[in-house]
């Protein structure tokens, strides 16, 4: 077969990689993915889940990038069991579904290339301040633990500006301590923060964080008033769904969020309009979810306060789209096109296509 006909398959292999298995620690599975024209580069994923606490410490291959230690009934981890050949290049570590109640500040100090850490579904009640300063983390999952008070400073990482995603949902958090001014460590680069289903009674002070996504779903927020989102000018997605109790949205409560594009207020059946100024300041808002609320029917002045709004979800599969009616042509001096919301079922809207109403 001529060489030119062989080249495309080789290039395809180099781009996608080939998966094989290799000998591994007893009970574990090692999956190898090779790259390059002649399998010159390999990465190994090691799965040691569900084996029990006796597996620690577990030896892993030198080229290991991801280690799964979930569901092993582990009660503690420290730097001595997370060290050795193979741990040096570890990029992903899964410690979920164990029995961890605390972690030492130095537990991950030797994982210099760790990017993803899953500590969900444990019993963690506290988080040391310097837990992640040695690793360039981009994704930390601490959901489904027993955390009550967390300091934002705990998420200072060796990231060199890398975006950080933090999941703190389904804990017992009633207080989130802000990063102190003048602190020796830099401000955490948290861009996505999930605080859903905690015990927060007020919007926490997050003004120093470069947040773009924030979820406060399911919290017992009593009220959201002016100043609640001070400093979050970069926030583009905000979710306030299924808040506990009777949430009160005061006038001008969102006025600091001039860059917000998506707002979710769904699942709040007791939420009612508190005047047209309730959504004032949301000049960039494009999508609004009001399904499962008492905020429908929509007031006529809604579009006047939301100049960029394109769609509104109002529940029961109904979505409203912004519709501009130009009126008579030629347009009369001083006249302007009429803007209205046109509501149809979501299935009908999908059948029509994205560019039609």
């Amino acid at each position: 077969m001529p060489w030119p006909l062989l080249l495309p398959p080789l290039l395809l292999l180099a781009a996608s990689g080939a998966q094989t298995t290799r000998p591994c620690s007893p009970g574990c599975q090692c999956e190898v993915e090779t790259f390059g024209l002649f399998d010159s580069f390999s990465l190994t994923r090691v799965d040691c889940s569900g084996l029990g606490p006796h597996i620690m410490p577990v030896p892993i291959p030198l080229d290991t990038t991801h280690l799964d230690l979930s569901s092993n009934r582990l009660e503690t981890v420290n730097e001595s069991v997370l060290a050795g050949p193979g741990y040096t290049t570890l990029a992903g570590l899964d410690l979920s579904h164990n029995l961890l109640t605390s972690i030492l500040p130095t537990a991950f100090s030797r994982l210099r290339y760790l990017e993803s850490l899953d500590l969900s579904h444990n019993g963690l009640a506290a988080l040391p301040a310097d837990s992640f300063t040695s690793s360039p983390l981009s994704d930390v999952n601490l959901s489904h633990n027993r955390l009550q008070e967390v300091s934002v400073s705990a998420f200072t990482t060796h990231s060199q500006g890398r975006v950080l995603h933090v999941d703190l949902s389904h804990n017992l958090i009633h207080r989130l301590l802000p990063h102190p001014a003048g602190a020796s460590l830099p401000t955490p680069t948290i861009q996505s923060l999930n605080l859903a289903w905690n015990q927060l009674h007020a919007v926490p002070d997050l003004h120093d964080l470069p947040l773009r996504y924030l979820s406060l779903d399911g919290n017992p927020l009593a009220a959201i008033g002016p100043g609640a989102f001070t400093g979050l000018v970069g926030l583009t997605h905000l979710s306030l769904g299924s808040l506990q109790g009777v949430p009160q949205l005061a006038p001008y409560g969102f006025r600091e969020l001039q860059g917000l594009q998506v707002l979710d207020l769904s699942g709040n059946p007791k939420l009612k309009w508190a005047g047209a100024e309730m959504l004032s300041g949301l000049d960039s808002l494009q999508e609004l979810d009001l399904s499962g609320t008492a905020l429908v029917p929509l007031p006529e002045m809604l579009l006047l306060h939301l100049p960029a709004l394109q769609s509104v979800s109002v529940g029961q599969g109904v979505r409203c789209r912004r519709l501009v009616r130009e009126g008579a042509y030629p347009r009369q001096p001083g006249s302007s096109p009429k803007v209205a919301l046109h509501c149809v079922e979501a299935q009908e809207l999908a059948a029509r296509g994205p560019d039609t109403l």
Side-chain angles (χ1 to χ4, degrees):
M1 182 178 295
W3 172 253
L5 295 180
L6 283 174
L7 188 58
L10 288 175
L11 292 177
L12 181 61
L13 179 60
S16 61
Q19 292 185 349
T20 58
T21 58
R22 68 187 298 177
C24 211
S25 298
C28 301
Q29 294 182 345
C30 290
E31 184 179 272
V32 183
E33 190 168 8
T34 56
F35 303 85
L37 292 178
F38 301 101
D39 296 343
S40 56
F41 180 64
S42 65
L43 299 174
T44 301
R45 297 177 63 89
V46 180
D47 185 352
C48 296
S49 61
L51 299 179
H54 66 277
I55 66 166
M56 300 296 288
V58 56
I60 56 179
L62 288 173
D63 60 354
T64 300
T65 59
H66 186 273
L67 175 60
D68 187 348
L69 294 173
S70 62
S71 304
N72 279 314
R73 303 190 303 280
L74 300 177
E75 296 182 3
T76 183
V77 292
N78 54 54
E79 69 273 21
S80 64
V81 298
L82 296 175
Y87 288 89
T88 306
T89 57
L90 197 64
L93 177 61
D94 188 346
L95 288 167
S96 64
H97 295 273
N98 279 293
L99 304 176
L100 303 175
T101 56
S102 63
I103 54 175
L104 298 174
T106 57
F108 311 109
S109 60
R110 299 183 183 182
L111 305 181
R112 300 290 177 162
Y113 295 94
L114 191 65
E115 298 178 2
S116 176
L117 177 61
D118 191 344
L119 288 164
S120 64
H121 295 273
N122 277 282
L124 297 175
L127 197 61
D130 301 328
S131 300
F132 312 123
T133 53
S134 300
S135 303
L137 285 165
S138 60
D139 192 348
V140 181
N141 188 349
L142 285 158
S143 64
H144 296 274
N145 276 280
R146 301 189 62 80
L147 299 171
Q148 299 184 41
E149 186 174 288
V150 176
S151 173
V152 170
S153 301
F155 298 100
T156 298
T157 66
H158 186 61
S159 63
Q160 298 179 343
R162 176 177 297 183
V163 170
L164 179 61
H165 304 277
V166 177
D167 189 347
L168 288 168
S169 63
H170 296 275
N171 275 275
L172 303 172
I173 299 173
H174 60 85
R175 188 182 182 194
L176 201 67
L177 302 176
H179 189 68
S184 58
L185 294 174
T187 302
T189 55
I190 303 175
Q191 192 172 99
S192 173
L193 180 59
N194 189 350
L195 289 169
W197 299 101
N198 278 285
Q199 298 299 317
L200 294 168
H201 289 269
V203 177
D205 184 358
L206 304 168
H207 71 276
D208 285 332
L209 301 180
L211 280 178
R212 294 182 62 83
Y213 171 87
L214 174 63
S215 175
L216 293 167
D217 292 350
N219 279 279
L221 298 179
I224 297 176
F229 300 102
T230 297
L232 299 183
V233 293
L235 196 68
T236 60
H237 289 66
L238 174 61
S239 189
L240 297 169
S242 302
L243 299 177
Q244 305 301 302
V246 185
Q248 300 293 324
L249 300 185
Y252 307 106
F254 298 111
R255 65 180 176 184
E256 295 92 354
L257 302 179
Q258 296 181 3
L260 195 70
Q261 299 177 15
V262 179
L263 175 60
D264 186 352
L265 295 172
S266 64
N268 291 297
K270 297 181 180 180
L271 190 62
K272 298 180 180 180
W273 288 112
E277 295 79 10
M278 188 178 79
L279 299 177
S280 180
L282 298 176
D283 297 338
S284 301
L285 193 68
Q286 299 178 21
E287 299 181 24
L288 178 61
D289 193 342
L290 300 177
S291 56
T293 72
L295 300 180
V296 289
L298 304 174
E300 295 182 0
M301 72 287 293
L302 180 66
L303 293 177
L304 298 178
H305 290 270
L306 303 174
L309 189 66
Q310 297 298 319
S311 67
V312 183
S313 296
V314 295
Q316 296 182 346
V318 177
R319 180 180 290 271
C320 303
R321 299 287 296 271
R322 188 185 192 91
L323 183 65
V324 179
R325 302 183 186 277
E326 293 293 344
Y329 184 84
R331 184 183 299 171
Q332 298 299 318
S335 66
S336 59
K338 295 182 179 180
V339 181
L341 286 173
H342 179 63
C343 302
V344 296
E345 292 186 1
Q347 294 180 348
E348 180 183 348
L349 189 62
R352 293 183 180 185
D355 299 324
T356 57
L357 287 173

